[in-house]
Amino acid sequence: MNQRNVRVIIRFTSMNQNNGNKELFLLDYITNFFFDFSSELYFILDENFRFKEVNKTFKTTLGYEEQELIGRDALNFIYPEDTLSFESLKKEVNTEDKNYKIRLLKKDGKVTWLEWKVKKEKELVLVSAKDFSSQKETEDELLLRNKELEQEKAKVDAMLINIGDGVIGINEGGEIAYVNPQAQMILGFTDQELLGKTLIHYLKLENEKGEEVPIGSIPIHAALLSKRKVIESRYSYIKKDGTKLPVAITATPVVLHDLVIGGVNVFRDITKEREVDRMKTEFISLASHQLRTPLSAMKWFSELLMDSKSNLTIEQIQLLENIYQSNERMIELVNALLNISRIESGRIIIEPVPTDLIELINQVILELQLKVKEKDIKLAVSAHELLPKINIDPKLIRHVYMNLLTNSIKYTQHGGEIIVIISRSGGEIISQVSDNGYGIPKSQQGQVFQKFFRADNILKVETDGTGLGLYLIKAIVDSSGGKIWFKSEEGQGSTFWFSLPIAGTPPKKGEVSIDT
Amino acid sequence: MVIEDEELLLEAITKKLKLEGFEVVSCTQATQALEYLKTLQELPDVIWLDYYLPDMNGLEFMDKLRQVSDWSKIPVVVISNSASPQKVEAMLKWGASKYLLKAEHRLGDLVNIIKEFTKGGDNHDG
C-alpha cells in the first residue's frame, strides 16, 4: 500500500496495535505531511462512496470547503459524462486496482480532468488523483490547430493543384521542395525528378538570343537576394525534351522575420502571347509597306505630271495640285495610324539623351517658319535662361512641340499670335504653347485627347486634320513621365501645357520608333 | 542603278532620273542587279536600293556587294517604305550611305540627294 494514502488507516489501525508509540507518532507525522502538501489530489471515500477525507490540494483545485464535501456522495461531483466510468469503478474496486480518467465538477461549474489511482482498503476507498486539465487543454488546442492546419493545407493543395500556372517552391538552400502538377506538365519533368534538385542549376533558362541566362539574372535568384518580387517575361525554359518554352516568371521570396526561408517560382506558358506579339509587329510593318507603296507611286507620278507644267492648262495644274495634297493627307494619316499602333503596342523605343528643350523648340519653329510667315503670325518664345538639359527622347518630344505648334498655326486666324514659354516648376519643366485662335468649344473639351476627335468649330475653317495628333502626343507625354493639359475658350484661343520630369525619362527597350 | 521591285515606282524613278540627265540601269530584283554589275562596262556611280526585294533583303544585298572590292566602293542610298531603327542602324553599319523613307520625300528631293553621290551628276547626259 502506498504510504502516502494511509494516514487514516494508520490512525484507525494504530489503536488496535501495541507497537511502540514513538514510532507510530513519526509515521503519523510523515503521512500527514505527504497528505497535506502533495501536489496531487488525495481523497478517501467510505463504503458508500461518500467523501470521508480530502487533502488541501483537492480543496484548492476544486474550490470546495471541507464541510461541503464530507459525507456527501461523490457521484454528485462527477462530471455527468463520466458517471458510467465512475459506476464501473465502484464495481471493479473490490477486485482490482485500476486507473480511471474521471472528470470532477469544480465549485465554479468548470471541469477538472483527473487521473484516478484507486485502492480499496477494507471499507475505505483511497484515491490519488492527478490533475491533467492544463495538459488536456493543450492537447485539445493542438488537435484543433492540427485540424485547422489540415483544412488549410487541403485548401492550398487544391489551389496549387488546380491553378493554371506552374508553381515550384524552393527551400532556403534553393532546392526544389514543391512542384505542382501544372509545372510538371509544362516542363515535362516529374516531381521525383525535380524534388531536391537546385532550381537554378537544374532548370535551364534562355534569354531572347538563345543564350543561357547568367545566375545573377535568374528571377528566383534575384528575388531571394533582393527580398523582392521579380517579374520577367523575356525568358524561355528548356523543357525535358530539349524544346524551348517562352514563359512569364514571377519569383517571390518567402520572408519570415526578415530572413529568407525559401522562394516561390510561378510561371506560365506565353507561347501564344509571343506569337501574337510577333504577328502584330509583322502586321504593322507589312501595313506600312503595303499602304505606302501606292501612296508613293501617286505622289511621284503626280509630281512628274506637274513637272511638265507647260503642257497643262491652269485648271489641270490646280486639279493635279488637289490630287497631290489629298495624297499627302493620306500619307500623313497612315503615318499617324502607324504611330498610334506603335505606341499602343507599348513597343516604342525611348532613348533619353540630355536635351536642351529651347534648342529643340527652336529647330521645330525653324521648320514651321514658312507656315508662320504665310499666315503672318507673330510667334514669340520665352524661356528661363538657366534651364538644365534634361534626359528625354528628343525624337518623341520634338513630335509634341511640332504637333502643338502646328495646331496653333492651323487654328489661329491670319495675323494671330502664338506664345511659347518654357519654365521650371519644382521637379518639372513646363512647356506652354498659347494662341489667340479659334479655341475649343466648352462642350467638347472633354474629348480633346480622344482618338479621331476634331472640334466642330474648326471643321468648318480647316478641313485638313486627322484627329490623331493630340491623342498621340498625350500618349508620348504619358510614356515620358509627364502630364499634358489645356485651357481654352471658344473665340479667344487655347493654351496647352505639358510637363516633363527634370529627373528625366527612364530608357525603354522596344522595337519601333515614331515616324519610320 | 535603281533596284526597286514595284514596277510603277521603278518607272517613276527611272523617268525622273532620265529627265535629270542620268543614265539609268533599272532592276526589279537584287540578283538581276548583281548580274548587271558583273557585265557592265562601267560600274554605276550610285545605287538606289529598296530594302525589301523579292529575292533578298537590303542587308543580304549589301553583303554580296561587299564581297567584291570594286562594288563595295559604290555608294548605296536605301529608299524604303519602312525604317525601323534596327534596320537603319544595320544598313548604315554595312556601308549604306543614306537611309530614306519613300513617302516622306518628293521625287525631286530624292534625285537631288542622289546627285550628291554622283561625280558631278550633270556630266552624265544620256
Side-chain angles (χ1 to χ4, degrees):
Chain A
M1 184 166 80
N2 189 335
Q3 284 283 2
R4 298 177 195 178
N5 297 338
V6 293
R7 184 172 70 154
V8 183
I9 319 254
I10 290 164
R11 207 181 275 160
F12 287 135
T13 51
S14 63
M15 287 191 284
N16 303 328
Q17 286 170 8
N18 290 324
N19 293 352
N21 270 346
K22 263 188 191 167
E23 212 176 303
L24 267 177
F25 178 77
L26 183 62
L27 202 56
D28 200 21
Y29 176 81
I30 292 169
T31 48
N32 253 332
F33 172 82
F34 283 125
F35 193 82
D36 284 338
F37 291 97
S38 169
S39 63
E40 293 198 4
L41 287 77
Y42 293 144
F43 54 101
I44 299 165
L45 307 172
D46 64 16
E47 62 224 313
N48 296 316
F49 298 92
R50 291 172 208 274
F51 283 107
K52 192 152 182 72
E53 196 142 352
V54 296
N55 75 341
K56 254 187 202 162
T57 309
F58 186 96
K59 289 182 281 184
T60 50
T61 304
L62 294 163
Y64 297 105
E65 297 298 325
E66 198 156 327
Q67 59 268 30
E68 293 173 284
L69 297 162
I70 303 304
R72 294 192 63 190
D73 190 338
L75 189 62
N76 295 326
F77 299 87
I78 305 290
Y79 182 64
E81 276 182 26
D82 293 347
T83 327
L84 274 179
S85 301
F86 186 62
E87 292 301 333
S88 58
L89 177 151
K90 278 180 173 177
K91 275 182 216 146
E92 290 160 355
V93 76
N94 287 312
T95 52
E96 52 183 326
D97 297 350
K98 211 176 155 185
N99 291 358
Y100 298 88
K101 278 183 179 157
I102 296 174
R103 282 166 280 185
L104 286 183
L105 292 165
K106 287 161 73 164
K107 195 177 178 181
D108 61 11
K110 289 182 181 156
V111 173
T112 311
W113 285 84
L114 292 175
E115 187 168 4
W116 300 35
K117 281 179 192 158
V118 187
K119 174 92 182 161
K120 176 99 186 249
E121 191 65 40
K122 300 205 170 138
E123 70 277 21
L124 296 178
V125 179
L126 312 179
V127 184
S128 157
K130 193 176 175 181
D131 179 2
F132 67 100
S133 300
S134 60
Q135 192 188 327
K136 181 77 189 160
E137 223 167 77
T138 320
E139 242 170 55
D140 286 351
E141 207 168 287
L142 271 175
L143 277 176
L144 191 75
R145 189 49 45 107
N146 268 344
K147 208 174 166 189
E148 280 173 6
L149 279 174
E150 227 169 77
Q151 286 177 349
E152 201 59 37
K153 190 175 177 316
K155 280 185 214 161
V156 173
D157 279 351
M159 278 192 263
L160 288 174
I161 288 170
N162 295 308
I163 200 170
D165 293 4
V167 180
I168 294 180
I170 59 165
N171 61 20
E172 57 186 314
E175 291 156 353
I176 299 174
Y178 177 84
V179 185
N180 78 339
Q182 193 67 17
Q184 299 170 42
M185 207 182 78
I186 295 175
L187 299 169
F189 289 100
T190 63
D191 52 353
Q192 280 98 340
E193 288 170 312
L194 293 171
L195 291 174
K197 303 282 182 358
T198 309
L199 174 58
I200 55 171
H201 295 312
Y202 198 72
L203 284 179
K204 297 277 177 253
L205 259 187
E206 278 189 0
N207 64 16
E208 295 149 308
K209 293 176 190 158
E211 299 158 343
E212 191 170 330
V213 176
I215 292 211
S217 303
I218 293 177
I220 191 73
H221 189 266
L224 262 52
L225 270 188
S226 64
K227 292 188 191 173
R228 282 202 192 140
K229 185 195 279 187
V230 174
I231 298 174
E232 178 59 71
S233 58
R234 293 174 298 163
Y235 298 157
S236 299
Y237 268 126
I238 305 299
K239 290 164 63 167
K240 192 185 175 185
D241 63 12
T243 54
K244 275 188 212 177
L245 182 88
V247 281
I249 302 175
T250 306
T252 319
V254 179
V255 180
L256 190 69
H257 308 307
D258 211 34
L259 279 177
V260 177
I261 57 160
V264 183
N265 193 58
V266 181
F267 55 96
R268 123 187 107 78
D269 180 353
I270 54 165
T271 312
K272 282 207 181 98
E273 279 106 315
R274 292 236 180 119
E275 180 63 12
V276 168
D277 220 45
R278 196 187 55 78
M279 282 164 65
K280 206 152 81 176
T281 314
E282 247 172 34
F283 175 76
I284 292 177
S285 163
L286 201 72
S288 71
H289 197 80
Q290 296 306 326
L291 290 170
R292 279 168 167 170
T293 298
L295 291 171
S296 301
M298 283 191 268
K299 182 183 170 92
W300 292 350
F301 278 115
S302 40
E303 193 187 327
L304 281 171
L305 254 182
M306 284 191 280
D307 278 352
S308 52
K309 272 176 192 155
S310 50
N311 304 327
L312 300 172
T313 65
I314 290 173
E315 197 193 358
Q316 281 169 331
I317 291 171
Q318 189 51 54
L319 293 176
L320 209 47
E321 185 63 35
N322 291 347
I323 294 172
Y324 187 85
Q325 285 311 327
S326 299
N327 191 55
E328 285 293 292
R329 272 185 64 191
M330 195 70 176
I331 291 170
E332 197 186 313
L333 189 62
V334 167
N335 285 344
L337 279 171
L338 281 173
N339 281 339
I340 280 174
S341 84
R342 283 175 189 134
I343 206 150
E344 279 181 348
S345 72
R347 299 181 307 113
I348 283 272
I349 301 169
I350 300 179
E351 284 174 319
V353 289
T355 307
D356 182 343
L357 290 180
I358 303 167
E359 211 178 292
L360 188 66
I361 195 148
N362 281 332
Q363 285 169 11
V364 173
I365 289 171
L366 203 67
E367 273 181 59
L368 294 169
Q369 208 54 51
L370 205 69
K371 288 181 182 169
V372 173
K373 270 189 187 148
E374 263 173 27
K375 287 189 87 168
D376 196 21
I377 281 170
K378 289 181 217 52
L379 198 157
V381 180
S382 151
H384 197 286
E385 276 175 24
L386 297 169
L387 279 184
K389 281 191 175 181
I390 62 170
N391 251 327
I392 47 113
D393 188 327
K395 269 188 279 183
L396 293 174
I397 301 307
R398 184 185 171 282
H399 215 88
V400 180
Y401 284 131
M402 179 61 90
N403 185 278
L404 290 178
L405 279 169
T406 313
N407 278 351
S408 283
I409 296 168
K410 236 156 77 171
Y411 305 128
T412 297
Q413 298 88 331
H414 201 89
E417 260 177 33
I418 296 172
I419 300 164
V420 180
I421 300 171
I422 304 182
S423 61
R424 182 180 176 156
S425 164
E428 290 175 326
I429 290 189
I430 314 276
S431 301
Q432 172 187 339
V433 178
S434 308
D435 62 58
N436 60 354
Y438 305 119
I440 304 158
K442 269 260 153 4
S443 63
Q444 291 187 312
Q445 288 190 359
Q447 296 156 263
V448 164
F449 293 112
Q450 280 174 16
K451 225 189 275 188
F452 298 114
F453 169 78
R454 298 196 69 212
D456 289 341
N457 58 334
I458 51 112
L459 278 175
K460 292 167 208 151
V461 270
E462 180 71 60
T463 49
D464 191 8
T466 60
L468 293 170
L470 286 172
Y471 175 82
L472 182 66
I473 65 168
K474 182 176 189 312
I476 292 175
V477 173
D478 285 348
S479 61
S480 303
K483 281 197 286 287
I484 184 164
W485 65 99
F486 71 98
K487 210 165 118 181
S488 181
E489 196 150 334
E490 200 172 355
Q492 303 284 314
S494 303
T495 302
F496 279 80
W497 292 269
F498 72 95
S499 64
L500 289 169
I502 286 184
T505 308
K508 185 174 153 289
K509 283 187 189 155
E511 293 143 49
V512 288
S513 64
I514 292 267
D515 282 342
T516 52
Chain B
M1 172 176 275
V2 181
I3 315 168
E4 165 65 67
D5 63 318
E6 282 292 332
E7 284 182 20
L8 276 175
L9 293 181
L10 185 62
E11 193 190 322
I13 300 159
T14 310
K15 207 168 217 139
K16 180 72 180 176
L17 285 170
K18 281 187 175 157
L19 279 172
E20 295 290 325
F22 284 91
E23 258 180 68
V24 188
V25 180
S26 309
C27 317
T28 53
Q29 296 196 10
T31 39
Q32 187 192 2
L34 293 167
E35 281 305 311
Y36 275 141
L37 285 177
K38 282 182 204 158
T39 53
L40 283 174
Q41 297 278 327
E42 198 185 334
L43 287 178
D45 296 313
V46 59
I47 297 176
W48 169 310
L49 176 71
D50 182 19
Y51 185 88
Y52 285 110
L53 295 164
D55 48 352
M56 62 181 79
N57 68 28
L59 276 178
E60 290 164 318
F61 181 78
M62 291 305 290
D63 194 38
K64 296 264 194 264
L65 218 53
R66 275 158 56 135
Q67 287 168 16
V68 179
S69 69
D70 278 350
W71 297 359
S72 64
K73 290 173 195 143
I74 310 170
V76 176
V77 179
V78 187
I79 297 165
S80 174
N81 268 331
S82 59
S84 71
Q86 295 99 311
K87 243 181 276 166
V88 177
E89 198 185 314
M91 283 304 279
L92 294 179
K93 210 163 126 193
W94 279 73
S97 305
K98 249 188 162 62
Y99 198 123
L100 301 161
L101 258 181
K102 267 178 205 166
E104 296 292 299
H105 300 277
R106 290 173 67 94
L107 206 44
D109 301 336
L110 291 175
V111 169
N112 284 337
I113 291 167
I114 289 292
K115 271 186 189 161
E116 288 169 23
F117 288 97
T118 57
K119 312 170 226 155
D122 315 359
N123 301 335
H124 280 251
D125 285 3

